[in-house]
């Protein structure tokens, strides 16, 4: 993508092109609606789509103006308020600043009008407040405030917003804009990434490189555990009309498992690599860590090596669990068996009180695997050997065809890994292999004491089109029997 001019002129050209492209789908929809209403204008029913669109539009606008999360006021949480205020002062951030807490792993800053006053709202996820040390939390806060300062430049702000608006239309089901949109997004991605690394640099200047580094690493871990394990807990329990009342305690405990941490780091890196249209506004974490400056530890502001004490911790946790319970889309939908209707309110359940076997049942989806029979498993391994396994994955999950071609193989690999995992682990368990992790069903210990992550073995086999490592595992199982 070559635009006329360089520097600011080129960026304004790219912004204009992205905004123009982003308004094409809604414009086309409105034109189509206008034509339909004109053709059927004499019928009152023809106005129903117009009314529906107007209601949906006003609803979307109202939702966008609604402040997210639960307000945290300085008298309620003085330690948190003092940390945020101190970081803001050290960065020279002088605007009115409010803090609100949300249930998921999230941190952001947004403008809002509160009681007629223009202010900024700092949104922090409860998992971050619970798990990050004060130093790490200060680094997160510093990044968000510094990021807003870097976005204060009008051109930068418009560039990031136009990227977001255009990226919304590049969904798996709607990709007619991709051939034109992808080059525009690719051309502007380095600028978007630079705003993130600049904010990281400012955070390191205030809190130190070490705190900023560990904050990035810890946030990635928490997000992966929340998105992976956490959503699966909610979905599995929803099928039994229950919910995890100790969700956040269990999340913290699971994040401390080394097998969970290792898996989370790998999944995060894989997700960062899947960016077919260059819509990602954040560079990979490895690149962000490399770009951090070496700061003098003596110049860093010490905030503490323990999490900030939350005086309203119980109320915040209770509110967050209630929000997750009320909004299935925030935690992953759990489907009840067909024909089953809820006859009573969901009952609370303690994840930490469950036995290991019951926890593994929640995570194990063996019943849904189409490869549970020995014949199906053998056929799948043969497909891996002859390289036709992507075709098998598409039969298991037809939606793979909707994924962009550049990342289709990676998605197919994940689908087939998930399908192979239950029968392989079942066979090993039947031969005396034991669970090595309370929180990961794929990590097993052999009778000879060797611990293996079966999921990693399956992934490596698919990546190399070589089923030998899997057959070797099953061979060890047969030998043990």
């Amino acid at each position: 993508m070559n635009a006329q001019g360089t520097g600011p002129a080129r960026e304004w050209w790219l912004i204009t092109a992205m905004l123009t492209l982003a308004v094409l789908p809604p414009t086309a929809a409105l034109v189509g609606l206008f034509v339909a209403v004109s053709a059927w204008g004499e019928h009152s029913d023809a106005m129903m789509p117009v009314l529906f669109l107007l209601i949906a539009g006003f609803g979307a606008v109202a939702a966008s103006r609604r402040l997210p999360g639960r307000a945290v006021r300085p008298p309620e949480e003085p330690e948190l308020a003092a940390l945020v205020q101190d970081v803001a002062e050290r960065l020279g951030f002088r605007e009115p600043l409010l803090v609100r807490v949300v249930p998921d792993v999230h941190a952001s800053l947004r403008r809002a009008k509160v009681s007629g006053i223009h202010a900024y709202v700092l949104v922090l996820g409860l998992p971050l407040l619970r798990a990050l040390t004060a130093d790490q939390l200060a680094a997160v806060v510093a990044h968000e405030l510094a990021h807003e300062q870097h976005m204060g430049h009008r051109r930068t702000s418009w560039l990031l917003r136009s990227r977001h608006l255009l990226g919304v239309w590049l969904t798996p089901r709607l990709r007619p804009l991709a051939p034109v949109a992808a080059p525009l997004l690719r051309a502007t991605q380095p600028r978007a990434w630079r705003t993130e690394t600049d904010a990281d640099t400012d955070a390191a200047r205030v809190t130190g490189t070490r705190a900023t580094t560990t904050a990035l690493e810890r946030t990635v871990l928490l997000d992966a555990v929340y998105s992976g394990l956490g959503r699966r807990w909610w979905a599995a329990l929803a099928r039994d009309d229950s919910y995890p009342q100790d969700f956040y305690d269990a999340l913290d405990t699971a994040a401390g498992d080394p097998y969970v941490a290792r898996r989370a780091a790998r999944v995060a890196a894989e997700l960062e690599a899947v960016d077919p249209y260059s819509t990602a506004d954040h560079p990979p974490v490895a690149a962000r860590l490399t770009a951090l400056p070496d700061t003098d530890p003596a110049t860093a502001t010490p905030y503490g090596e323990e999490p900030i004490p939350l005086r309203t911790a119980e109320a915040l946790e209770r509110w967050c669990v209630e929000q997750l319970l009320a909004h299935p889309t925030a935690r992953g939908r759990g489907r009840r068996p067909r024909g089953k209707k809820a006859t009573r309110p969901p009952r609370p359940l303690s994840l930490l009180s469950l036995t290991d076997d019951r926890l593994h049942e929640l995570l194990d989806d063996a019943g849904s695997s189409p490869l549970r029979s020995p014949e199906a498993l053998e056929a799948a391994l043969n497909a891996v050997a002859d390289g036709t396994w992507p075709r098998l994955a598409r039969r298991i999950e037809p939606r793979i065809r909707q994924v962009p071609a550049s990342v289709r193989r990676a998605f197919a690999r994940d689908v087939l890994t998930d399908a192979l995992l239950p029968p392989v682990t079942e066979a090993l368990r039947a031969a005396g292999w034991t669970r090595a992790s309370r929180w990961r069903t794929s990590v097993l210990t052999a009778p000879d004491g060797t611990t293996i992550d079966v999921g990693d073995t399956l992934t490596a086999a698919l990546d190399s089109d070589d089923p030998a490592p899997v057959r070797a595992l099953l061979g060890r199982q047969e030998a043990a029997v």
Side-chain angles (χ1 to χ4, degrees), residues 394-458:
R394 288 194 296 273
R395 288 205 298 269
I396 296 172
E397 179 50 83
R399 287 178 297 180
I400 291 175
R401 294 180 176 86
Q402 301 170 4
V403 176
S406 60
V407 295
R408 200 170 293 159
R409 183 180 174 90
F411 275 78
R413 180 199 65 193
D414 291 343
V415 166
L416 193 55
T417 295
D418 289 343
L420 285 168
L421 190 58
V424 172
T425 54
E426 279 184 357
L428 296 176
R429 291 273 288 150
W433 291 54
T434 57
R435 306 281 193 188
S437 170
R438 175 172 166 81
W439 307 103
R440 290 283 316 282
T441 59
S442 65
V443 183
L444 303 179
T445 299
D448 64 4
T450 306
T451 298
I452 294 175
D453 190 323
V454 180
D456 289 346
T457 303
L458 292 171

Side-chain angles (χ1 to χ4, degrees), residues 16 59 73 76 88-89 107 128 156 189 261 283 287 291 316 419 425 441 457 467 474:
T16 303
R73 297 173 176 83
E76 299 172 339
E89 289 177 357
L128 299 179
T156 302
Q189 191 175 60
L316 286 173
T425 54
T441 59
T457 303
L474 297 174

Side-chain angles (χ1 to χ4, degrees), residues 283-306:
V285 171
R288 293 176 67 180
L289 294 177
T290 301
L292 284 175
D294 291 326
T295 59
D296 184 356
T299 64
T301 304
Y303 290 95
E305 295 292 332
E306 296 294 329

Side-chain angles (χ1 to χ4, degrees), residues 43-230:
H43 303 289
S44 60
D45 289 346
M47 295 304 297
M48 292 305 295
V50 179
L51 180 62
F52 174 78
L53 284 178
L54 288 174
I55 293 174
F58 282 119
V61 171
S64 67
R65 292 180 178 274
R66 193 178 304 126
L67 293 179
R70 172 182 169 127
V72 176
R73 297 173 176 83
E76 299 172 339
E77 298 292 351
E79 291 84 2
L80 176 59
L83 181 145
V84 172
Q85 184 61 34
D86 188 73
V87 171
E89 289 177 357
R90 294 182 185 279
L91 285 169
F93 192 93
R94 308 299 181 192
E95 304 294 333
L97 189 58
L98 308 176
V99 178
R100 297 181 74 89
V101 173
V102 291
D104 58 354
V105 182
H106 182 79
S108 64
L109 190 71
R110 59 182 290 180
R111 298 178 183 179
K113 195 172 184 179
V114 183
S115 301
I117 300 174
H118 290 281
Y120 283 86
V121 177
L122 176 64
V123 180
L124 296 172
L126 182 60
L128 299 179
L129 294 174
R130 290 171 55 97
L132 298 185
T133 67
D135 285 341
Q136 295 165 351
L137 182 62
V140 170
V141 172
H143 172 91
E144 297 304 328
L145 299 184
H147 190 265
E148 182 62 29
Q149 290 176 318
H150 289 293
M151 282 185 60
H153 193 285
R154 185 175 58 176
R155 188 173 69 253
T156 302
S157 178
W158 274 104
L159 184 141
L160 294 179
R161 287 171 183 161
S162 59
R163 280 179 53 82
H164 174 74
L165 289 173
L166 184 54
V168 166
W169 297 107
L170 298 179
T171 62
R173 292 182 181 273
L174 183 67
R175 297 198 301 271
L177 301 181
V180 182
L184 293 170
L185 292 167
R186 194 177 304 118
T188 53
Q189 191 175 60
R191 183 69 182 90
W193 284 10
R194 192 158 66 249
T195 65
E196 296 297 330
T197 54
D198 287 347
D200 288 339
T201 297
D202 287 348
R205 176 171 56 82
V206 173
T207 63
T209 301
R210 177 175 173 273
T212 306
T213 297
T214 55
L216 279 170
E217 293 171 339
R218 187 68 178 170
T219 300
V220 169
L221 168 63
L222 292 172
D223 184 54
V225 176
Y226 181 95
S227 300
L229 283 177

